[in-house]
Amino acid sequence: MDNQALLHALDTMPIGLVWVRAQRVNWLSRRLRERVAADVLAYATLCEQRADLAALTYSGTLPLLGKIGLADEWYFPVVQSNGEDRLIVFATSEIARAALPELAQAQQSCRDFEEIYRNSFDGIFVADGDGMTLLVNEGCERNYGLKAAELIGRHVSEFEKRGWIRPVIAGKVAQTRQRVTATQQTHEGKTIMVTGIPLFDAAGKVRKVIINSRDTTELVQLQEDLARAQENLRRNDREIEALRVQMLAIDGLVLQSAAMQRIAELAIRVAKVDTTVLITGESGVGKEVVTRLIHNESPRAKGPFIKINCGALPRDLLETELFGYEAGAFTGAQRQGKHGLMELADQGTLFLDEIGELPLELQVKLLQVLQDRTLVRVGGTRSIAINVRIVAATNRDLQEMVAQRSFRSDLYYRLNVVPIHVPPLAERREDILPMAQHFVHEINRQYGLDRRLSERALGRLHDHGWPGNVRELKNVIERLIVTSPDVLIGTEQLDVVLPPDAVDSTHPNAFRQRRDEFERRLIEQAWREHGSTRGAAKALGISQSSVVRKLRLPG
């Protein structure tokens, strides 16, 4: 093919072609002749002078080199060199995309990046390796209260000198060549959290510094507000808990003393989990009431509450009551067998009172239930899964029983996960009068009566030793109410039902205790005979204040 035929063939191609020799245009294709005949040489010379284009040699693909505007149309130029000849190809964007599919992807990625950069809520700041500001997005403008035009083109050191931002970290990032995080203060009083990272060129030099910034002023305020709200919630929870503790008196648990308030608070906390509880204390102190509190405050409150006194049943009967038995297990057994109390307490609470009286062979079976949550009925072989919470109580010293080998140590430690000790009534005298008034109200309502205790009677109740604890107090109150013919119950009726405290003659204070008891009874007798504290004081030859103090009456 001769040169004319070749040029004619090139004219039919949908691309612009320019043949340049020695800075002169020898030929250009029809597409360019029709559009920009006068400017071709200028554009060809421009392309020749661009280092990135002039240094190219044609490799069979169109390299991505940017675009050039030519007669209202965008072209992607490529240069092919052969000695002093240059062939410059002006490919349209459609052809370039067809030749390089990745070009379209790159363009879309570029647009996406610009959108992300511009709309990022966080501030994005870009400086070159020398600290000159290149790019600032809207988030950055918002964080620092400055326009991009005020920042772009300035060296980062100026920001600190002008008092706009302190400290500036771009220089430290470039110097250390590492990620740097800091908290900045702005001229508007904002607190900004920033992180700067370096970008490196092929030679390992820092070419860019990218700084991400976020306004934490609002976050700090939110954290402070959250801390205050959480403290308010905790205070409200404490107040609600205190009110709930006070309301527990309706269940017979009076919490006037600090000791009982601590016990109730612990019981309520423990109630939320299924851990085993061991309640200790003298007989009659209210161990069952604490157990019912744990049950009522637990997720098992709607389940059954089963109580069994381990010391009130014969050994053989106790086993069948606890674990049940299969049909035909023994003579006289029901034909269909029987569920034990542990099965009946499924999904609820089993209260084992007087656990110290449990025989050793039954202690082994109870330990298995605690460990495996399964039981085997008497006369059976099948394991039955149960979901029951066990609370045990005793008035005995289980540790001493363990030492004497009358109580299994492994069972003791399984039961004693959370120990709760209920002190005797004599050690929490603040509870005596509120509890007495509670029992008066409860028993009056039960029997349809309207009795009340005199101040002197209440004083006697307060001073009594109560060896039988709460149980004795309740029994005394009930006896007073149902036997008294009068609405107001005084010490005369109380003396009948409440025996004087026994005094240990070997106790160091035995003489003082007997003397005080004698004086109190003598003053009470004088007060009844003369009808007033003044008359009693005159008859006994003592001051009225002494009579009032001994009788514990209001002065």
Side-chain angles (χ1 to χ4, degrees), residues 215-316:
D215 184 358
T216 60
T217 306
E218 183 178 356
L219 178 60
V220 171
Q221 184 63 44
L222 288 174
Q223 289 175 332
E224 293 175 354
D225 293 343
L226 178 61
R228 284 193 293 269
Q230 290 175 332
E231 178 57 33
N232 290 335
L233 286 175
R234 284 192 291 268
R235 183 170 60 252
N236 291 339
D237 288 342
R238 290 193 295 268
E239 292 173 355
I240 292 172
E241 195 66 32
L243 290 174
R244 292 177 66 246
V245 167
Q246 294 175 10
M247 292 300 294
L248 293 175
I250 63 175
D251 293 328
L253 186 62
V254 175
L255 305 171
Q256 191 70 28
S257 65
M260 290 306 295
Q261 289 180 5
R262 288 194 297 269
I263 288 172
E265 291 169 359
L266 175 58
I268 291 173
R269 287 198 302 272
V270 171
K272 307 307 179 186
V273 294
D274 268 348
T275 186
T276 306
V277 179
L278 178 62
I279 304 176
T280 59
E282 295 179 3
S283 179
V285 293
K287 298 188 288 294
E288 181 179 349
V289 175
V290 175
T291 304
R292 288 189 178 274
L293 171 61
I294 293 173
H295 174 73
N296 292 337
E297 294 294 321
S298 74
R300 299 175 178 268
K302 295 183 179 180
F305 178 87
I306 304 294
K307 174 190 174 182
I308 186 168
N309 190 319
C310 299
L313 294 173
R315 177 172 301 187
D316 296 338

Side-chain angles (χ1 to χ4, degrees), residues 199-493:
L199 301 182
F200 303 98
D201 60 17
K205 181 180 179 182
V206 177
R207 60 184 179 86
K208 295 285 190 302
V209 173
I210 313 297
I211 298 177
N212 179 275
S213 63
R214 172 165 290 190
D215 184 358
T216 60
T217 306
E218 183 178 356
L219 178 60
V220 171
Q221 184 63 44
L222 288 174
Q223 289 175 332
E224 293 175 354
D225 293 343
L226 178 61
R228 284 193 293 269
Q230 290 175 332
E231 178 57 33
N232 290 335
L233 286 175
R234 284 192 291 268
R235 183 170 60 252
N236 291 339
D237 288 342
R238 290 193 295 268
E239 292 173 355
I240 292 172
E241 195 66 32
L243 290 174
R244 292 177 66 246
V245 167
Q246 294 175 10
M247 292 300 294
L248 293 175
I250 63 175
D251 293 328
L253 186 62
V254 175
L255 305 171
Q256 191 70 28
S257 65
M260 290 306 295
Q261 289 180 5
R262 288 194 297 269
I263 288 172
E265 291 169 359
L266 175 58
I268 291 173
R269 287 198 302 272
V270 171
K272 307 307 179 186
V273 294
D274 268 348
T275 186
T276 306
V277 179
L278 178 62
I279 304 176
T280 59
E282 295 179 3
S283 179
V285 293
K287 298 188 288 294
E288 181 179 349
V289 175
V290 175
T291 304
R292 288 189 178 274
L293 171 61
I294 293 173
H295 174 73
N296 292 337
E297 294 294 321
S298 74
R300 299 175 178 268
K302 295 183 179 180
F305 178 87
I306 304 294
K307 174 190 174 182
I308 186 168
N309 190 319
C310 299
L313 294 173
R315 177 172 301 187
D316 296 338
L317 185 57
L318 180 59
E319 182 177 13
T320 58
E321 286 296 313
L322 272 175
F323 300 99
Y325 58 83
E326 295 289 356
F330 54 86
T331 302
Q334 298 179 17
R335 283 188 294 177
Q336 68 274 23
K338 181 182 177 181
H339 294 285
L341 292 178
M342 285 191 174
E343 288 184 72
L344 295 177
D346 191 50
Q347 305 302 320
T349 302
L350 177 65
F351 177 40
L352 298 177
D353 199 8
E354 302 303 337
I355 189 68
E357 307 301 326
L358 192 68
L360 282 170
E361 60 269 21
L362 295 188
Q363 292 179 23
V364 176
K365 296 191 69 172
L366 177 59
L367 180 62
Q368 179 185 356
V369 173
L370 289 172
Q371 291 176 337
D372 304 335
R373 298 297 176 180
T374 62
L375 61 85
V376 178
R377 293 178 182 173
V378 175
T381 58
R382 178 173 57 95
S383 294
I384 301 173
I386 59 170
N387 181 1
V388 61
R389 194 227 185 104
I390 293 180
V391 178
T394 183
N395 60 3
R396 301 184 63 179
D397 187 345
L398 293 187
Q399 282 187 305
E400 179 64 24
M401 294 180 66
V402 169
Q404 296 173 357
R405 299 184 180 276
S406 59
F407 199 88
R408 293 181 62 94
S409 60
D410 47 6
L411 177 59
Y412 170 71
Y413 291 117
R414 288 296 304 223
L415 293 173
N416 195 40
V417 177
V418 178
I420 297 179
H421 178 71
V422 184
L425 193 56
E427 294 181 10
R428 45 187 175 101
R429 292 193 174 275
E430 306 99 308
D431 292 332
I432 294 176
L433 296 186
M435 194 172 295
Q437 297 287 28
H438 170 74
F439 290 144
V440 168
H441 174 74
E442 183 182 78
I443 296 168
N444 274 329
R445 183 177 58 185
Q446 179 180 352
Y447 295 113
L449 300 174
D450 185 20
R451 304 287 191 263
R452 55 190 177 88
L453 298 172
S454 69
E455 292 292 334
R456 290 189 305 131
L458 289 172
R460 283 284 310 279
L461 294 176
H462 180 274
D463 292 342
H464 188 61
W466 301 111
N469 294 293
V470 179
R471 184 181 294 119
E472 181 187 7
L473 174 62
K474 184 176 182 180
N475 291 341
V476 167
I477 297 296
E478 183 171 1
R479 183 176 176 185
L480 285 171
I481 289 176
V482 299
T483 61
S484 175
D486 303 319
V487 172
L488 182 65
I489 301 173
T491 55
E492 297 87 350
Q493 295 94 329

Side-chain angles (χ1 to χ4, degrees), residues 32-66:
L32 295 182
R33 289 199 303 272
E34 293 174 349
R35 301 181 64 84
V36 288
D39 293 331
V40 171
L41 181 58
Y43 282 111
T45 303
L46 172 64
C47 293
E48 286 264 20
Q49 291 173 348
R50 283 179 50 177
D52 54 350
L53 295 180
L56 284 177
T57 57
Y58 183 66
S59 60
T61 61
L62 297 178
L64 184 60
L65 298 170

